[in-house]
mmCIF file of all heavy atoms in Angstrom:
data_model
loop_
_atom_site.group_PDB
_atom_site.id
_atom_site.type_symbol
_atom_site.label_atom_id
_atom_site.label_comp_id
_atom_site.label_asym_id
_atom_site.label_seq_id
_atom_site.Cartn_x
_atom_site.Cartn_y
_atom_site.Cartn_z
ATOM 1 N N MET A 867 0.826 -1.223 -0.066
ATOM 2 C CA MET A 867 0.109 -0.015 0.051
ATOM 3 C C MET A 867 0.923 1.193 -0.025
ATOM 4 O O MET A 867 1.882 1.332 0.766
ATOM 5 C CB MET A 867 -0.928 0.021 1.279
ATOM 6 C CG MET A 867 -1.929 1.061 1.242
ATOM 7 S SD MET A 867 -3.062 0.857 2.710
ATOM 8 C CE MET A 867 -3.904 -0.604 2.323
ATOM 9 N N LYS A 868 0.584 2.242 -0.911
ATOM 10 C CA LYS A 868 1.363 3.366 -0.963
ATOM 11 C C LYS A 868 1.137 4.380 0.157
ATOM 12 O O LYS A 868 0.076 4.701 0.418
ATOM 13 C CB LYS A 868 1.149 4.152 -2.345
ATOM 14 C CG LYS A 868 1.489 3.378 -3.520
ATOM 15 C CD LYS A 868 1.047 3.981 -4.894
ATOM 16 C CE LYS A 868 1.520 3.212 -5.959
ATOM 17 N NZ LYS A 868 0.938 3.718 -7.278
ATOM 18 N N LYS A 869 2.217 4.850 0.766
ATOM 19 C CA LYS A 869 2.245 5.724 1.907
ATOM 20 C C LYS A 869 2.200 7.046 1.429
ATOM 21 O O LYS A 869 3.067 7.539 0.550
ATOM 22 C CB LYS A 869 3.202 5.436 3.042
ATOM 23 C CG LYS A 869 2.988 4.213 3.617
ATOM 24 C CD LYS A 869 3.955 3.962 4.729
ATOM 25 C CE LYS A 869 3.843 2.650 5.541
ATOM 26 N NZ LYS A 869 4.772 2.527 6.520
ATOM 27 N N VAL A 870 1.239 8.002 1.957
ATOM 28 C CA VAL A 870 1.167 9.459 1.605
ATOM 29 C C VAL A 870 1.225 10.159 3.009
ATOM 30 O O VAL A 870 0.490 10.025 3.739
ATOM 31 C CB VAL A 870 -0.078 9.736 0.763
ATOM 32 C CG1 VAL A 870 -0.082 11.324 0.519
ATOM 33 C CG2 VAL A 870 -0.161 8.993 -0.343
ATOM 34 N N ILE A 871 2.273 10.945 3.088
ATOM 35 C CA ILE A 871 2.432 11.851 4.353
ATOM 36 C C ILE A 871 1.439 13.052 4.094
ATOM 37 O O ILE A 871 1.403 13.684 3.129
ATOM 38 C CB ILE A 871 3.762 12.303 4.518
ATOM 39 C CG1 ILE A 871 4.597 11.153 4.940
ATOM 40 C CG2 ILE A 871 3.945 13.395 5.536
ATOM 41 C CD1 ILE A 871 6.190 11.352 5.188
ATOM 42 N N VAL A 872 0.535 13.328 5.102
ATOM 43 C CA VAL A 872 -0.405 14.358 5.126
ATOM 44 C C VAL A 872 -0.206 15.323 6.189
ATOM 45 O O VAL A 872 -0.455 15.006 7.396
ATOM 46 C CB VAL A 872 -1.845 13.790 5.164
ATOM 47 C CG1 VAL A 872 -2.842 14.785 5.054
ATOM 48 C CG2 VAL A 872 -2.103 12.736 4.104
ATOM 49 N N THR A 873 0.419 16.428 5.950
ATOM 50 C CA THR A 873 0.737 17.439 7.043
ATOM 51 C C THR A 873 -0.630 18.147 7.327
ATOM 52 O O THR A 873 -1.353 18.456 6.451
ATOM 53 C CB THR A 873 1.744 18.443 6.547
ATOM 54 O OG1 THR A 873 1.264 19.186 5.456
ATOM 55 C CG2 THR A 873 3.074 17.619 6.165
ATOM 56 N N GLY A 874 -0.917 18.350 8.554
ATOM 57 C CA GLY A 874 -2.205 18.900 8.928
ATOM 58 C C GLY A 874 -3.345 17.998 8.712
ATOM 59 O O GLY A 874 -4.551 18.394 8.325
ATOM 60 N N GLY A 875 -2.932 16.712 8.823
ATOM 61 C CA GLY A 875 -4.061 15.609 8.436
ATOM 62 C C GLY A 875 -5.179 15.598 9.492
ATOM 63 O O GLY A 875 -6.140 14.815 9.109
ATOM 64 N N ALA A 876 -5.043 16.088 10.604
ATOM 65 C CA ALA A 876 -6.115 16.078 11.678
ATOM 66 C C ALA A 876 -7.098 17.343 11.467
ATOM 67 O O ALA A 876 -8.037 17.452 12.240
ATOM 68 C CB ALA A 876 -5.549 15.983 13.034
ATOM 69 N N GLY A 877 -6.699 18.192 10.506
ATOM 70 C CA GLY A 877 -7.486 19.441 10.385
ATOM 71 C C GLY A 877 -8.799 19.236 9.567
ATOM 72 O O GLY A 877 -9.018 18.005 9.181
ATOM 73 N N PHE A 878 -9.560 20.291 9.325
ATOM 74 C CA PHE A 878 -10.704 20.132 8.574
ATOM 75 C C PHE A 878 -10.593 19.454 7.253
ATOM 76 O O PHE A 878 -11.249 18.331 7.029
ATOM 77 C CB PHE A 878 -11.294 21.440 8.497
ATOM 78 C CG PHE A 878 -12.549 21.629 7.819
ATOM 79 C CD1 PHE A 878 -13.720 20.622 7.935
ATOM 80 C CD2 PHE A 878 -12.897 22.672 6.842
ATOM 81 C CE1 PHE A 878 -14.895 20.792 7.280
ATOM 82 C CE2 PHE A 878 -14.125 22.815 6.253
ATOM 83 C CZ PHE A 878 -15.057 21.741 6.477
ATOM 84 N N ILE A 879 -9.913 19.956 6.404
ATOM 85 C CA ILE A 879 -9.763 19.384 5.020
ATOM 86 C C ILE A 879 -8.865 18.203 5.157
ATOM 87 O O ILE A 879 -9.119 17.202 4.278
ATOM 88 C CB ILE A 879 -9.211 20.539 3.964
ATOM 89 C CG1 ILE A 879 -10.005 21.718 4.047
ATOM 90 C CG2 ILE A 879 -9.117 19.934 2.667
ATOM 91 C CD1 ILE A 879 -9.484 22.948 3.319
ATOM 92 N N GLY A 880 -7.789 18.229 5.879
ATOM 93 C CA GLY A 880 -6.942 17.103 5.902
ATOM 94 C C GLY A 880 -7.604 15.768 6.390
ATOM 95 O O GLY A 880 -7.260 14.770 5.805
ATOM 96 N N SER A 881 -8.458 15.890 7.377
ATOM 97 C CA SER A 881 -9.081 14.740 7.886
ATOM 98 C C SER A 881 -9.995 14.076 6.753
ATOM 99 O O SER A 881 -10.013 12.836 6.662
ATOM 100 C CB SER A 881 -9.862 14.916 9.187
ATOM 101 O OG SER A 881 -10.869 15.893 8.941
ATOM 102 N N HIS A 882 -10.739 14.933 6.142
ATOM 103 C CA HIS A 882 -11.522 14.351 4.932
ATOM 104 C C HIS A 882 -10.802 13.876 3.842
ATOM 105 O O HIS A 882 -11.178 12.825 3.305
ATOM 106 C CB HIS A 882 -12.497 15.582 4.532
ATOM 107 C CG HIS A 882 -13.563 15.946 5.455
ATOM 108 N ND1 HIS A 882 -13.371 16.730 6.550
ATOM 109 C CD2 HIS A 882 -14.867 15.495 5.532
ATOM 110 C CE1 HIS A 882 -14.473 16.866 7.230
ATOM 111 N NE2 HIS A 882 -15.391 16.206 6.628
ATOM 112 N N THR A 883 -9.676 14.369 3.642
ATOM 113 C CA THR A 883 -8.750 13.831 2.644
ATOM 114 C C THR A 883 -8.283 12.554 2.981
ATOM 115 O O THR A 883 -8.091 11.575 2.175
ATOM 116 C CB THR A 883 -7.589 14.842 2.238
ATOM 117 O OG1 THR A 883 -8.223 16.094 1.827
ATOM 118 C CG2 THR A 883 -6.679 14.352 1.193
ATOM 119 N N CYS A 884 -7.834 12.368 4.297
ATOM 120 C CA CYS A 884 -7.328 11.059 4.666
ATOM 121 C C CYS A 884 -8.423 9.880 4.485
ATOM 122 O O CYS A 884 -8.060 8.841 4.066
ATOM 123 C CB CYS A 884 -6.921 11.173 6.093
ATOM 124 S SG CYS A 884 -5.461 12.071 6.527
ATOM 125 N N VAL A 885 -9.616 10.252 4.696
ATOM 126 C CA VAL A 885 -10.823 9.246 4.538
ATOM 127 C C VAL A 885 -10.791 8.907 3.092
ATOM 128 O O VAL A 885 -10.846 7.740 2.757
ATOM 129 C CB VAL A 885 -12.016 9.932 4.892
ATOM 130 C CG1 VAL A 885 -13.193 9.113 4.326
ATOM 131 C CG2 VAL A 885 -12.189 9.978 6.416
ATOM 132 N N GLU A 886 -10.610 9.911 2.108
ATOM 133 C CA GLU A 886 -10.739 9.615 0.581
ATOM 134 C C GLU A 886 -9.472 8.742 0.247
ATOM 135 O O GLU A 886 -9.447 7.893 -0.678
ATOM 136 C CB GLU A 886 -10.844 10.920 -0.105
ATOM 137 C CG GLU A 886 -12.036 11.616 0.159
ATOM 138 C CD GLU A 886 -13.327 10.997 -0.114
ATOM 139 O OE1 GLU A 886 -13.395 10.227 -1.291
ATOM 140 O OE2 GLU A 886 -14.347 10.963 0.611
ATOM 141 N N LEU A 887 -8.275 9.158 0.828
ATOM 142 C CA LEU A 887 -7.079 8.355 0.494
ATOM 143 C C LEU A 887 -7.156 6.972 0.949
ATOM 144 O O LEU A 887 -6.843 6.032 0.094
ATOM 145 C CB LEU A 887 -5.873 8.916 1.298
ATOM 146 C CG LEU A 887 -5.240 10.210 0.752
ATOM 147 C CD1 LEU A 887 -4.262 10.929 1.888
ATOM 148 C CD2 LEU A 887 -4.575 10.037 -0.469
ATOM 149 N N VAL A 888 -7.825 6.599 2.129
ATOM 150 C CA VAL A 888 -8.036 5.223 2.475
ATOM 151 C C VAL A 888 -8.950 4.601 1.406
ATOM 152 O O VAL A 888 -8.695 3.434 1.089
ATOM 153 C CB VAL A 888 -8.475 5.121 3.754
ATOM 154 C CG1 VAL A 888 -8.959 3.649 4.223
ATOM 155 C CG2 VAL A 888 -7.494 5.583 4.931
ATOM 156 N N ALA A 889 -10.004 5.261 1.126
ATOM 157 C CA ALA A 889 -10.982 4.721 0.180
ATOM 158 C C ALA A 889 -10.380 4.304 -1.191
ATOM 159 O O ALA A 889 -10.808 3.478 -1.933
ATOM 160 C CB ALA A 889 -12.215 5.695 0.031
ATOM 161 N N ALA A 890 -9.358 5.087 -1.492
ATOM 162 C CA ALA A 890 -8.639 4.928 -2.870
ATOM 163 C C ALA A 890 -7.523 3.991 -2.710
ATOM 164 O O ALA A 890 -6.829 3.646 -3.751
ATOM 165 C CB ALA A 890 -8.052 6.236 -3.419
ATOM 166 N N GLY A 891 -7.270 3.380 -1.642
ATOM 167 C CA GLY A 891 -6.073 2.415 -1.344
ATOM 168 C C GLY A 891 -4.781 2.794 -0.953
ATOM 169 O O GLY A 891 -3.806 2.186 -0.934
ATOM 170 N N TYR A 892 -4.758 4.224 -0.559
ATOM 171 C CA TYR A 892 -3.610 4.613 -0.008
ATOM 172 C C TYR A 892 -3.505 4.430 1.494
ATOM 173 O O TYR A 892 -4.553 4.373 2.091
ATOM 174 C CB TYR A 892 -3.376 6.151 -0.367
ATOM 175 C CG TYR A 892 -3.103 6.473 -1.815
ATOM 176 C CD1 TYR A 892 -4.322 6.878 -2.678
ATOM 177 C CD2 TYR A 892 -1.878 6.371 -2.435
ATOM 178 C CE1 TYR A 892 -4.146 7.183 -3.946
ATOM 179 C CE2 TYR A 892 -1.734 6.752 -3.733
ATOM 180 C CZ TYR A 892 -2.843 7.118 -4.541
ATOM 181 O OH TYR A 892 -2.608 7.352 -5.911
ATOM 182 N N GLU A 893 -2.347 4.669 2.101
ATOM 183 C CA GLU A 893 -2.188 4.733 3.521
ATOM 184 C C GLU A 893 -1.709 6.100 3.985
ATOM 185 O O GLU A 893 -0.534 6.399 3.783
ATOM 186 C CB GLU A 893 -1.248 3.627 4.035
ATOM 187 C CG GLU A 893 -1.157 3.672 5.562
ATOM 188 C CD GLU A 893 -0.364 2.514 6.173
ATOM 189 O OE1 GLU A 893 0.210 1.725 5.350
ATOM 190 O OE2 GLU A 893 -0.365 2.271 7.313
ATOM 191 N N PRO A 894 -2.542 6.955 4.559
ATOM 192 C CA PRO A 894 -2.053 8.239 4.944
ATOM 193 C C PRO A 894 -1.365 8.179 6.325
ATOM 194 O O PRO A 894 -1.674 7.340 7.173
ATOM 195 C CB PRO A 894 -3.485 9.034 5.198
ATOM 196 C CG PRO A 894 -4.520 7.953 5.516
ATOM 197 C CD PRO A 894 -4.051 6.653 4.698
ATOM 198 N N VAL A 895 -0.217 8.905 6.343
ATOM 199 C CA VAL A 895 0.540 9.068 7.497
ATOM 200 C C VAL A 895 0.353 10.610 8.043
ATOM 201 O O VAL A 895 0.933 11.434 7.312
ATOM 202 C CB VAL A 895 2.013 8.828 7.317
ATOM 203 C CG1 VAL A 895 2.843 8.882 8.510
ATOM 204 C CG2 VAL A 895 2.128 7.310 6.718
ATOM 205 N N ILE A 896 -0.298 10.828 9.056
ATOM 206 C CA ILE A 896 -0.680 12.062 9.468
ATOM 207 C C ILE A 896 0.383 12.727 10.301
ATOM 208 O O ILE A 896 0.849 12.178 11.253
ATOM 209 C CB ILE A 896 -1.977 12.117 10.264
ATOM 210 C CG1 ILE A 896 -3.079 11.534 9.265
ATOM 211 C CG2 ILE A 896 -2.368 13.516 10.918
ATOM 212 C CD1 ILE A 896 -4.509 11.352 10.025
ATOM 213 N N VAL A 897 0.735 13.930 10.046
ATOM 214 C CA VAL A 897 1.728 14.864 10.860
ATOM 215 C C VAL A 897 0.888 16.151 11.199
ATOM 216 O O VAL A 897 0.509 16.883 10.285
ATOM 217 C CB VAL A 897 2.988 15.212 10.063
ATOM 218 C CG1 VAL A 897 3.760 16.079 10.855
ATOM 219 C CG2 VAL A 897 3.672 13.978 9.552
ATOM 220 N N ASP A 898 0.644 16.228 12.453
ATOM 221 C CA ASP A 898 -0.136 17.398 12.843
ATOM 222 C C ASP A 898 0.134 17.729 14.350
ATOM 223 O O ASP A 898 0.166 16.854 15.193
ATOM 224 C CB ASP A 898 -1.717 17.141 12.725
ATOM 225 C CG ASP A 898 -2.574 18.213 12.770
ATOM 226 O OD1 ASP A 898 -2.379 19.167 13.640
ATOM 227 O OD2 ASP A 898 -3.391 18.356 11.924
ATOM 228 N N ASP A 899 0.477 19.141 14.588
ATOM 229 C CA ASP A 899 0.810 19.359 16.032
ATOM 230 C C ASP A 899 -0.379 19.754 16.749
ATOM 231 O O ASP A 899 -0.376 20.020 17.979
ATOM 232 C CB ASP A 899 1.857 20.552 16.033
ATOM 233 C CG ASP A 899 1.213 21.928 15.507
ATOM 234 O OD1 ASP A 899 0.088 21.814 15.114
ATOM 235 O OD2 ASP A 899 2.017 22.776 15.429
ATOM 236 N N LEU A 900 -1.696 19.619 16.210
ATOM 237 C CA LEU A 900 -3.017 19.819 16.761
ATOM 238 C C LEU A 900 -3.161 21.226 17.341
ATOM 239 O O LEU A 900 -4.060 21.414 18.202
ATOM 240 C CB LEU A 900 -3.148 18.784 17.900
ATOM 241 C CG LEU A 900 -3.085 17.263 17.521
ATOM 242 C CD1 LEU A 900 -3.325 16.436 18.850
ATOM 243 C CD2 LEU A 900 -3.929 16.953 16.295
ATOM 244 N N ARG A 901 -2.365 22.197 16.808
ATOM 245 C CA ARG A 901 -2.523 23.648 17.158
ATOM 246 C C ARG A 901 -3.954 24.066 16.687
ATOM 247 O O ARG A 901 -4.533 24.893 17.385
ATOM 248 C CB ARG A 901 -1.503 24.422 16.729
ATOM 249 C CG ARG A 901 -1.565 24.765 15.183
ATOM 250 C CD ARG A 901 -0.551 25.884 14.792
ATOM 251 N NE ARG A 901 0.762 25.421 14.769
ATOM 252 C CZ ARG A 901 1.911 26.184 14.439
ATOM 253 N NH1 ARG A 901 1.594 27.373 13.985
ATOM 254 N NH2 ARG A 901 2.974 25.659 14.455
ATOM 255 N N ASN A 902 -4.486 23.495 15.711
ATOM 256 C CA ASN A 902 -5.689 24.048 15.141
ATOM 257 C C ASN A 902 -6.767 22.836 14.870
ATOM 258 O O ASN A 902 -7.585 22.913 14.071
ATOM 259 C CB ASN A 902 -5.649 24.845 13.771
ATOM 260 C CG ASN A 902 -4.949 26.113 13.981
ATOM 261 O OD1 ASN A 902 -5.390 26.909 14.927
ATOM 262 N ND2 ASN A 902 -4.020 26.437 13.154
ATOM 263 N N SER A 903 -6.498 21.643 15.611
ATOM 264 C CA SER A 903 -7.303 20.472 15.470
ATOM 265 C C SER A 903 -7.339 19.673 16.640
ATOM 266 O O SER A 903 -6.562 20.050 17.714
ATOM 267 C CB SER A 903 -6.834 19.699 14.274
ATOM 268 O OG SER A 903 -5.390 19.363 14.464
ATOM 269 N N GLU A 904 -7.957 18.586 16.734
ATOM 270 C CA GLU A 904 -8.025 17.776 17.921
ATOM 271 C C GLU A 904 -7.931 16.163 17.602
ATOM 272 O O GLU A 904 -8.190 15.802 16.488
ATOM 273 C CB GLU A 904 -9.340 17.964 18.701
ATOM 274 C CG GLU A 904 -9.515 19.564 19.183
ATOM 275 C CD GLU A 904 -10.825 19.633 19.994
ATOM 276 O OE1 GLU A 904 -11.554 18.744 20.249
ATOM 277 O OE2 GLU A 904 -11.202 20.790 20.027
ATOM 278 N N GLU A 905 -7.651 15.525 18.511
ATOM 279 C CA GLU A 905 -7.399 14.030 18.304
ATOM 280 C C GLU A 905 -8.598 13.347 17.954
ATOM 281 O O GLU A 905 -8.664 12.407 17.423
ATOM 282 C CB GLU A 905 -6.852 13.432 19.583
ATOM 283 C CG GLU A 905 -5.335 13.679 19.839
ATOM 284 C CD GLU A 905 -4.770 13.026 21.026
ATOM 285 O OE1 GLU A 905 -5.397 12.200 21.611
ATOM 286 O OE2 GLU A 905 -3.544 13.265 21.340
ATOM 287 N N ARG A 906 -9.867 13.986 18.334
ATOM 288 C CA ARG A 906 -10.991 13.398 17.922
ATOM 289 C C ARG A 906 -11.240 13.234 16.430
ATOM 290 O O ARG A 906 -11.925 12.381 15.904
ATOM 291 C CB ARG A 906 -12.199 14.107 18.550
ATOM 292 C CG ARG A 906 -12.586 15.419 17.715
ATOM 293 C CD ARG A 906 -13.855 16.068 18.232
ATOM 294 N NE ARG A 906 -13.830 16.605 19.521
ATOM 295 C CZ ARG A 906 -14.784 17.208 20.236
ATOM 296 N NH1 ARG A 906 -15.916 17.165 19.724
ATOM 297 N NH2 ARG A 906 -14.506 17.688 21.510
#
């Protein structure tokens, strides 16, 4: 499975993109300091 690093992946657009990446067969690797997002 191809890994894609997603900076800001816990953010609004990033989290939705991670969902679409998984649906397309990719494995997202999220990098986020959570300054503007949350673990939820």
